[in-house]
Amino acid sequence: MSSVFSLSLDQELIMTNGVNGGLGGLLAERSSGAPRRRFKRYTTGTYIGLIACAIQGSPDKMLTFKQIMKKLEPFVFGDKRGIENNIRVCLSSNRCFEKVPFDPNYPNPKKNFWKVNENGITPKMFRRHFKYLINIFPGLSIPTQAVDECKDNSHAPEPLACKVAESKSVGKFTGPFSIDSLLKSDREVKRMRSTSLEERVHYGDAQRGTAKRKNVYEYEAVECYNPVSVVGRELASAKIPLLSSGPQHGHSLPPHITYNHHVLFSSPLMYRPTRYVSW
DNA sequence: AATTGTTTAAGAACCC
DNA sequence: GGGTTCTTAAACAATT
């Protein structure tokens, strides 16, 4: 079975800063012996988002490091080794990426698939690394029907489903994990939840490894109170329609909208068909 | 030797 | 402005 994961060099997925453009900018060449390069933060994309998209665009939702590099190859210019290093750092230091043994019977620490661990995606990470998907997914911002029945929202984990029901918003979903909320300031979101959420399970570090991380995610963990993907829950509770049959702005949702958080990454429609990369 | 993964650290951009 | 987050570089270990 083959799958086509399309990436467009000139659209929102790829970082644009008007200078270098695309990964050619983010992944700029480093001249040997030169002082540490000043990097330009790109507004709409990061390594994490890109890697996640590459992985989720694969048929099995997991790739080896080599396969990841292969997927991103068209966007890699210049110092390939440095870029590989950066991607490795990203993979091994972020909890949103998870290793899967190449062969479970013979686990090998150096031979793994990498997959996206949605449990490791916090709202903050979502905003930072995936928010550009909002522009690609009209369904994430369209008015939605009120989600007023917990029992019918069987695809969504209970805690959020009930929270959504509490909000009873007609027209637009405004729950704590609504896209709007996700795009609001963390402070606002935390204030919204502070009165209703009691015990939260600490997630540990969203990133692994470095010393400077050790106290970083203390408060961020507050946003993850259930071992279920925050992103997935958000989409579930908002009953995001599949893009292929999604409603237009101002239209009501079709009756049989099912929760499929994989749409976040898997739909080929998330990319404009400007340039395709197949694998 | 090459590849893969982990860890540390510094600097810069981002966010509150 | 200060804390946080991301990018980059580099060293190192383990494995192929």
Side-chain angles (χ1 to χ4, degrees):
Chain A
M1 177 167 100
S2 67
S3 133
V4 174
F5 178 63
S6 53
L7 291 173
S8 161
L9 275 175
D10 63 344
Q11 45 86 4
E12 297 86 343
L13 173 68
I14 303 303
M15 314 71 173
T16 56
N17 70 345
V19 179
N20 296 310
L23 273 184
L26 179 69
L27 311 179
E29 183 167 13
R30 178 173 55 95
S31 57
S32 60
R36 178 182 285 268
R37 178 200 324 155
R38 293 170 62 89
F39 68 87
K40 170 70 178 167
R41 187 73 61 91
Y42 297 85
T43 57
T44 56
T46 61
Y47 274 106
I48 292 176
L50 197 68
I51 295 168
C53 283
I55 292 173
Q56 291 296 116
S58 68
D60 298 324
K61 305 278 187 289
M62 56 184 185
L63 295 173
T64 63
F65 176 78
K66 211 164 194 172
Q67 289 171 322
I68 292 171
M69 287 307 300
K70 181 95 179 165
K71 279 198 171 191
L72 299 181
E73 199 168 41
F75 311 100
V76 171
F77 313 104
D79 182 10
K80 191 176 177 182
R81 293 187 62 127
I83 293 159
E84 287 177 348
N85 187 38
N86 293 340
I87 290 173
R88 276 193 209 99
V89 170
C90 253
L91 288 170
S92 71
S93 63
N94 287 283
R95 284 195 181 278
C96 62
F97 298 114
E98 186 180 352
K99 274 191 303 187
V100 176
F102 195 86
D103 183 349
N105 296 322
Y106 303 97
N108 182 328
K110 299 288 174 186
K111 199 162 186 181
N112 301 294
F113 287 109
W114 289 95
K115 69 175 213 177
V116 176
N117 173 18
E118 293 184 26
N119 296 339
I121 302 175
T122 65
K124 188 177 284 186
M125 291 176 75
F126 177 82
R127 285 199 304 276
R128 202 153 204 171
H129 305 294
F130 307 108
K131 70 178 179 185
Y132 48 85
L133 294 176
I134 302 301
N135 300 327
I136 303 167
F137 286 95
L140 291 174
S141 56
I142 60 170
T144 60
Q145 291 178 327
V147 183
D148 55 1
E149 62 290 337
C150 281
K151 60 182 181 295
D152 289 345
N153 198 14
S154 56
H155 294 84
E158 168 122 357
L160 183 62
C162 292
K163 289 299 299 174
V164 171
E166 282 173 22
S167 72
K168 290 260 184 188
S169 61
V170 178
K172 187 163 187 171
F173 171 60
T174 57
F177 285 92
S178 69
I179 294 300
D180 281 351
S181 295
L182 288 168
L183 294 175
K184 281 181 186 171
S185 70
D186 294 317
R187 189 176 300 164
E188 285 176 90
V189 174
K190 269 187 275 189
R191 190 165 57 234
M192 286 167 58
R193 287 180 230 169
S194 59
T195 56
S196 56
L197 298 179
E198 308 229 338
E199 198 59 45
R200 283 97 170 186
V201 175
H202 269 234
Y203 238 67
D205 296 338
Q207 277 185 308
R208 298 183 289 260
T210 68
K212 66 179 176 183
R213 294 183 197 125
K214 54 176 171 283
N215 61 351
V216 165
Y217 292 93
E218 198 72 42
Y219 80 90
E220 187 168 46
V222 168
E223 299 182 354
C224 304
Y225 58 95
N226 189 300
V228 176
S229 162
V230 174
V231 175
R233 282 189 311 198
E234 164 62 22
L235 295 176
S237 58
K239 291 193 171 183
I240 303 302
L242 294 173
L243 268 184
S244 56
S245 59
Q248 302 303 308
H249 286 263
H251 292 182
S252 59
L253 296 174
H256 303 299
I257 295 168
T258 57
Y259 162 52
N260 179 3
H261 66 263
H262 294 299
V263 72
L264 174 65
F265 296 112
S266 62
S267 171
L269 296 178
M270 60 194 286
Y271 311 105
R272 284 211 303 269
T274 306
R275 173 172 174 170
Y276 290 103
V277 182
S278 307
W279 55 84

